[in-house]
Each structure stands twice: as C-alpha cells, then as structure tokens.
Amino acid sequence: MNVPLITPELVCLDADLGSTKAEVITSVAGIIAAAGRADADGLSHDALDREAQSPTGMPGGFAIPHCRSAAVSQPSLGFARLSPAVDFNGPDGPADLVFMIAAAEGAGADHMKLLTKLARALVKPEFVEQLRQATDARTVVDLIESVVEPDAAAPSSAAVSPASAAPDPAVQAPAVPSQTAGTEADQQGSGAEGLPTPDTAGTTHVVAVTACPTGIAHTYMAADYLTTAGRTMGIDVKVEPQGSTGTEPLSAADIERADAVIFATDVGVKGRDRFAGKPVIESGVKRAVNEPEAMVAEAVAAARDPHAHRVSASTGEHDEAEQAGSQIGWGKRLQQALMTGVSYMIPFVAAGGLLIALGFLFGGYEIAQDGMDIALHNTFANLPAPTGHALGGSAAMTYLGAVFFAVGQAAFAFLLPALAGYIGFGLADRPGIAPGFVAGAIAGVTGAGFIGAIIGGLLGGFIAYGFTRLNPPRWLRGLMPVVIIPLVGSLLAGGLMYVVLGRPLAAMTNSLNNWLGGMSGASAVILGIILGLMMCSDLGGPINKAAYLFATTNLAVTNAGSLKVMAAVMAAGMVPPLAMALSTAVRPKLYQPAERENGTAAWLLGASFISEGAIPFAAADPLRVIPSMMVGGAVTGALSMALGAASKAPHGGIFVFFAIDRFWAFILAVIVGTVVAALLVTILKASAKHKAEATA
C-alpha cells in the first residue's frame, strides 16, 4: 500500500490517556487526527457510537475500539499501551493495550483485508505479549506490519512470524482464552468435560455464522475462537464470518452435514433460510469471543436433543427468543420490536412534517383546509386564488405550498402503517410486515391512532411469528411466506382491529387528543416537565424515542395541544448538545481537547435538534452529565408549555422557525434550559476536579 496502516506517530507507549474508555478512545482518535488521517470529532463520535453497541474489551487485557467512519480519510491503526490500564468491560479486567481500528466509510478491499488480518492476529497471546514487551514505537510498527503485510515487513528480531498472519483459521489456530479450564482429555481431542460423547458415525459437525455491526474485528475474532475451541474439543466447526472483506459462504455440503448451528451475531444473518430445520444456538458476537467452548458445547448438546429449538423449516426465520443458548428474552424482544417500528417510522415523520411546514411557509396556514384540493385541481397554468397568508401574496406560492402540503400529507399517511408494519417485522422478520402494515392502516381508518398502531403491529407480529413455528409439509413451505402468512395474518390482525379493538382504542385516542387540546396551566407544565425529562434521559435511546413518538403521532394542525407538545419535545431535545457546547466554551479547562472540539460541533447539532450530539460527553461522564441535562430539559419543557410555544414541524430545531408559533417563547425556553443544564454540569465537573486535586 502507498500509505501504511500504522506508523510510529500513531503509537503511544506507557501513557495515561484518561481514566475512562471514552477518554482513551477520544485521545487515540486525536492521535490519528494529528497525523492528518481523520477528523478527530467525527472519528471519536463514530467510535463511541460503536462502543455503545457492544464493549470492545477482549480476553487477555486488550481492547479494540473500531468503526467505519466518513471522518477517516486514510484507514489507520492507532495503538496505545496504557499506564494505568482502563476498563473496557473486558471479561478479565482492565485493558492495558488499545488498538483503535479506523476504517474509512468506503474503505477498499485491500485495506479491509489488512484490518481483518490484524483482528485475527490479536487472538494469539504470543503476539499480544510481544507488543507488551516492545521497547519503542518502531518495534510496535514492525510487529504489526509482520502480521498485516508480512511480505513487505522489514525483518526484525521482535517481529512475529509471518505465518501468524494467515487468515484461514483452519491453518493457524489461535490459542483459546482460558475462561473455562480444559481437561487432559480435552487437549487430546476426545471431547470436552460435560460434552456428549461423539457418536459412532464420527465427529460431531457444527457450522456457525459470526457478524458484528462494522464487520471488522469481532466478526473474524469470533470465527477464530469458535474454530479453535472446536478443534480443542474434538468437534468439527466450520464458520462463515459475514464481515467487511466479503463472505465466503459455507458450502451446501457443510450445512447439510452439520448437526447444529451457532449464530453469534449482533446483526441479521444473511441467508438464514439455508439452515432451516437445524438445531440452533444463538447469542451476540461477543459471547463467541468470551465463551467459545461453552457455545460449542451447547451446540453439541442441542444436536443430541430431539426437543432443541431449530431454525424454522417453514420460512427460514428464527425462533430468536427461546432458542437454546439465546440471551434475548421476550422483554428485550418486545423493546427491540417497538424501537424498530419507531426507527422506520421517523423518516416518514421527518419528511412529511417538514413538507407540511414548507407548505405553510409558502401557502399560509389556510393551506391546511384546501391544500389537497388545490394540488389535485390546479396547475402552474391554472393557478388558484392566493390564500390570505401566502408568501408574497402570490398565487404561484399558494399552488407550490399546496403541493408541498399534499406530498407531506401523503408521507404522513404512512406513519401508522410503517410503525405497525415494522413492529411486526421486529417480532417475526419479513412475515410480520404485511399483517403489521394492514393493522396499522386500519388503526388510522378507525381513529385508533398510535396506540392502535402499536397494538396492531404487535398482533400482526405475534400471529406471523406463530406461523413461523409451524412445520408444514414440504409442498406447502414455499407458499407460507408469500401467501399463507400474509393472507391469514392480515385477516386475523386486521379483523381484530375492525371488530374488537378499533372502537375502544379510538375512544382512548380521542380522549387523549381532547386532553391535549384542553391542556392549560399546571397540567401543561407538568406534562412539559415529564417530556423534558424523557427527552434528556438517554439522548436518543428508548425513553427519548418514546417521548418523541408520543409527540409526533399525535401531531395535528387542528389540535393546539398537540402542537404545544411537539414544541416542548423538540425544545427539550435541543438542550443537551447546546448545554455541553456552552459548558466547554465557559470552562474549557474542565474538558479534554477532543471534548472541547466536540463542544464546538455540538452548537450546530443542538440547534438542529440532534440530541445525540451530547452522547460523547454522557458516555465519558454519565453520572454528572445526564442528571444535569435532565434538569435543563425539564425546565425547557415546562417553560415551552407555560409560554404556549407550538410547532407544526416534528424536526429541524431553529431552522423550522417559520412553522413555530410564538417562536420567541420557544427560543427563550431553549436558552433558559441550556443555561441551567450547562451551569449544573459545570459545577459538578468543577467540584469533582477540585476533589481529585485535593486527594492527589
């Protein structure tokens, strides 16, 4: 490669880079950025987001924070040997070695292969130990180059043999971490303690799929750990790592011969239907790294158990919640389904809401009454009469506003079906989509609103899920996902919505809307406080999304209460990034250099209503940041409701000022809440710093 993956300037030895993993990640991102290979803010933000999905602490006292990021201009590896070690939530304590893999968003195949080789080398204890003993940055670079680019690496007495870089786990077997003690029999390949004895036909065969969100590190390390655990235990394990460097699929013969399947993934399995009917063990990818022998043992036990859960033979979909070895219970499953529905719904909300707001800007608020009729019956050659508040009093602007409004209304019409449909998808994968969409559409027709959409989505999902548990004759299996499940699922879910649930839920929704419309005084302020606390409690997480869902699904231009709720939610959601930006500007010495840079970017994020702009700060110091943000958000929500700010747009922050009534009240609420939150977090951080200095 013209530019090497790692150079001495990307190596930091025996350094104190902070006491938390967020501080270390931010510092290493700064080292990579200082070499001109990335933007520090963007890289640290993306790496922390990836860390939040699953900790990167590994067996053996090292960590591999990594991400694919648009902030990376040159794929790079930053290396830090820490003193003192820092907790990365590894299974055996703090990490003293940190490898930060920074891959460009569109990284070429060659670079991704190099990063993959490094990840696989890290499971070899001898390689990690040589890095601990390296005396200078050049030695570290030579060691790593001997793994990722053995042909180009300069000879070095400290370098690992190039053979250790072989990516094929069948050729080079990394040592398995000693989380579970092996017996002498284990080492001789006669079966691990507690395992069923292999049958007389020969070795038990297990196939596995590993995958992590970025497809760089955990994907390949988990594959190597499982393969080696199988070899140690006398079990034939073949793995398909579905990673960034491409997937080498398991052969049909390997799958046919397999006695059981392991899915160690944090994302969906590609081609899951290939494994239909096989006993299956499922968990996150991290478990395959931490407990590979246990997973292989569970797979062998499932192969011998006629009652073990299997990948559904009807559609290839999975029985995810109850699988032997699964770590996903029904409570978590329901939460994931609801968040899936909200996530897929939000684009419709944002597009529809902003288009409607633009319709008001161009055509005036009267467009809500006759905008659809104008869009259908007028053209630029047949302009309508201008509305009273059209931009510039122009007929052309009235027509343009009507078109914006009509398109926005069309997008908004998908809000309830999308919410319900993707809740169904979250429960039953593809078979749940059609019943969920139908139930969501009926929720809109009957007036059941977002409560009806949620219940309809759950109904459709559970009905479809029940069908995936069936084992029909082979001739019927092909019809199940494309005919039987959509037909019966839609009929049952839709029929229940019409006949049983629609009217009671519509009455409940009407009561809620009437309450929103009649809110005033203390009740409005209390609701504003609750919504403000929710918006700032987890910065884009489930609680934040629940408050946003409540606001957006009740948003209606004819309901003044719903517009006030939307304004309070948006204003409170702007507070965390703005407050952290203000705090870093007022007391910069309380923050690391990278945090100060994040603070600069947070001004724009906060103004745009992107609460996630405060996540790097909350991840680094949650006990001081999150409570401060919640207080500020509660103040903002209460003020917004008390002063009567109202927003017809569901997103956009200050940039949709034209769609916010009493904009002065909206801005005042945001400013006051921001100052309160910034003041609190600054006081708490300053107090902690003084206490640390006093005890030093």
Side-chain angles (χ1 to χ4, degrees):
M1 307 297 298
N2 293 330
V3 181
L5 189 68
I6 184 170
T7 62
E9 63 185 333
L10 300 179
V11 176
C12 183
L13 298 180
D14 305 318
D16 182 354
L17 298 183
S19 59
T20 67
K21 62 180 180 179
E23 292 174 343
V24 173
I25 288 172
T26 301
S27 297
V28 179
I31 292 171
I32 295 172
R37 292 166 169 253
D39 170 70
D41 289 342
L43 175 56
S44 61
H45 178 272
D46 291 343
L48 287 170
D49 279 354
R50 169 60 187 88
E51 189 74 22
Q53 296 177 28
S54 175
T56 55
M58 293 291 165
F62 67 92
I64 48 167
H66 58 281
C67 66
R68 302 185 74 166
S69 173
V72 176
S73 56
Q74 173 61 47
S76 304
L77 171 69
F79 173 81
R81 193 165 65 198
L82 304 178
S83 179
V86 173
D87 185 14
F88 273 75
N89 302 107
D92 50 5
D96 63 331
L97 301 182
V98 175
F99 307 81
M100 183 175 224
I101 299 175
E105 195 167 52
D110 289 341
H111 278 124
M112 296 311 301
K113 288 177 181 177
L114 296 182
L115 296 174
T116 298
K117 288 181 181 180
L118 172 67
R120 304 187 90 148
L122 291 176
V123 304
K124 301 174 175 64
E126 67 275 11
F127 173 66
V128 176
E129 186 58 32
Q130 285 180 307
L131 290 170
R132 285 196 172 96
Q133 301 301 324
T135 56
D136 53 51
R138 183 70 255 175
T139 302
V140 170
V141 172
D142 288 345
L143 281 164
I144 291 173
E145 286 184 342
S146 71
V147 168
V148 298
E149 297 180 288
D151 295 335
S156 170
S157 59
V160 180
S161 167
S164 67
D168 184 0
V171 178
Q172 288 293 325
V176 177
S178 57
Q179 293 96 332
T180 56
T183 64
E184 181 178 352
D186 297 338
Q187 297 169 0
Q188 294 174 352
S190 59
E193 184 178 2
L195 281 177
T197 304
D199 56 39
T200 56
T203 304
T204 302
H205 300 281
V206 175
V207 293
V209 174
T210 60
C212 70
T214 54
I216 299 174
H218 288 79
T219 298
Y220 298 97
M221 296 176 75
D224 286 352
Y225 277 118
L226 288 172
T227 302
T228 305
R231 182 177 295 107
T232 303
M233 298 158 65
I235 308 300
D236 175 40
V237 178
K238 287 186 170 59
V239 186
E240 178 183 308
Q242 296 182 349
S244 297
T245 59
T247 300
E248 183 67 32
L250 290 162
S251 69
D254 286 334
I255 296 173
E256 179 66 26
R257 185 169 62 248
D259 301 299
V261 180
I262 295 173
F263 291 145
T265 70
D266 290 334
V267 294
V269 176
K270 300 173 184 175
R272 193 174 192 120
D273 57 314
R274 296 172 293 161
F275 306 95
K278 297 289 184 182
V280 61
I281 302 299
E282 186 160 3
S283 78
V285 70
K286 194 77 181 288
R287 186 172 182 237
V289 175
N290 294 339
E291 302 175 3
E293 292 173 316
M295 289 200 75
V296 173
E298 290 168 10
V300 174
R304 311 299 169 83
D305 181 3
H307 304 294
H309 292 287
R310 299 169 182 266
V311 180
S312 171
S314 59
T315 64
E317 306 300 339
H318 60 293
D319 179 9
E320 187 176 15
E322 300 177 1
Q323 311 230 21
S326 175
Q327 298 175 330
I328 304 174
W330 273 109
K332 181 67 173 178
R333 187 86 184 276
L334 288 172
Q335 178 192 337
Q336 289 179 339
L338 291 171
M339 288 303 99
T340 299
V342 173
S343 296
Y344 280 99
M345 177 203 75
I346 285 176
F348 293 100
V349 173
L354 292 174
L355 283 167
I356 290 172
L358 287 172
F360 293 144
L361 174 65
F362 284 91
Y365 296 137
E366 300 93 338
I367 223 70
Q369 278 71 50
D370 52 11
M372 190 66 68
D373 186 65
I374 292 174
L376 288 173
H377 299 100
N378 294 93
T379 66
F380 279 113
N382 177 30
L383 292 172
T387 57
H389 294 87
L391 192 64
S394 166
M397 291 298 100
T398 297
Y399 175 66
L400 194 58
V403 171
F404 281 137
F405 180 83
V407 175
Q409 284 283 83
F412 239 52
F414 286 99
L415 191 154
L416 297 181
L419 174 63
Y422 287 105
I423 288 175
F425 172 76
L427 286 173
D429 292 289
R430 285 177 298 173
I433 291 179
F437 261 88
V438 170
I442 295 172
V445 171
T446 60
F450 83 97
I451 299 174
I454 291 173
I455 293 176
L458 293 173
L459 267 177
F462 278 121
I463 291 169
Y465 172 79
F467 274 96
T468 66
R469 298 291 306 278
L470 301 178
N471 188 17
R474 183 175 295 275
W475 62 267
L476 187 58
R477 291 177 188 173
L479 294 175
M480 291 292 288
V482 295
V483 177
I484 306 298
I485 296 178
L487 172 63
V488 180
S490 298
L491 177 61
L492 290 177
L496 285 171
M497 287 298 297
Y498 265 125
V499 176
V500 179
L501 298 170
R503 291 177 180 85
L505 292 175
M508 186 185 304
T509 300
N510 287 333
S511 298
L512 176 62
N513 288 334
N514 291 335
W515 174 65
L516 289 175
M519 278 191 315
S520 62
S523 64
V525 171
I526 292 171
L527 180 60
I529 291 172
I530 294 171
L531 292 173
L533 290 170
M534 293 176 70
M535 287 301 295
C536 299
S537 62
D538 56 359
L539 306 176
I543 300 175
N544 171 285
K545 289 294 189 290
Y548 186 69
L549 175 67
F550 174 74
T552 53
T553 52
N554 283 290
L555 185 60
V557 294
T558 57
N559 187 327
S562 74
L563 303 183
K564 293 177 182 178
V565 168
M566 189 70 253
V569 164
M570 185 156 63
M574 293 166 63
V575 165
L578 290 175
M580 295 312 305
L582 180 59
S583 181
T584 58
V586 173
R587 291 293 302 275
K589 292 184 179 179
L590 295 175
Y591 298 90
Q592 299 289 333
E595 289 180 311
R596 294 197 291 270
E597 293 178 4
N598 286 338
T600 302
W603 287 112
L604 179 60
L605 295 174
S608 305
F609 179 38
I610 301 176
S611 304
E612 289 83 351
I615 286 178
F617 301 97
D621 193 4
L623 295 181
R624 296 179 183 87
V625 171
I626 291 178
S628 302
M629 299 305 105
M630 290 177 68
V631 172
V635 170
T636 295
L639 274 176
S640 177
M641 295 294 281
L643 297 174
S647 175
K648 299 177 178 66
H651 214 291
I654 63 171
F655 299 103
V656 290
F657 62 90
F658 52 84
I660 300 176
D661 293 340
R662 294 198 176 187
F663 186 63
W664 64 268
F666 180 85
I667 288 296
L668 179 62
V670 171
I671 291 174
V672 173
T674 296
V675 171
V676 169
L679 182 62
L680 282 175
V681 76
T682 302
I683 291 172
L684 291 174
K685 280 185 167 288
S687 175
K689 183 177 181 181
H690 293 325
K691 186 180 294 185
E693 291 173 348
T695 57

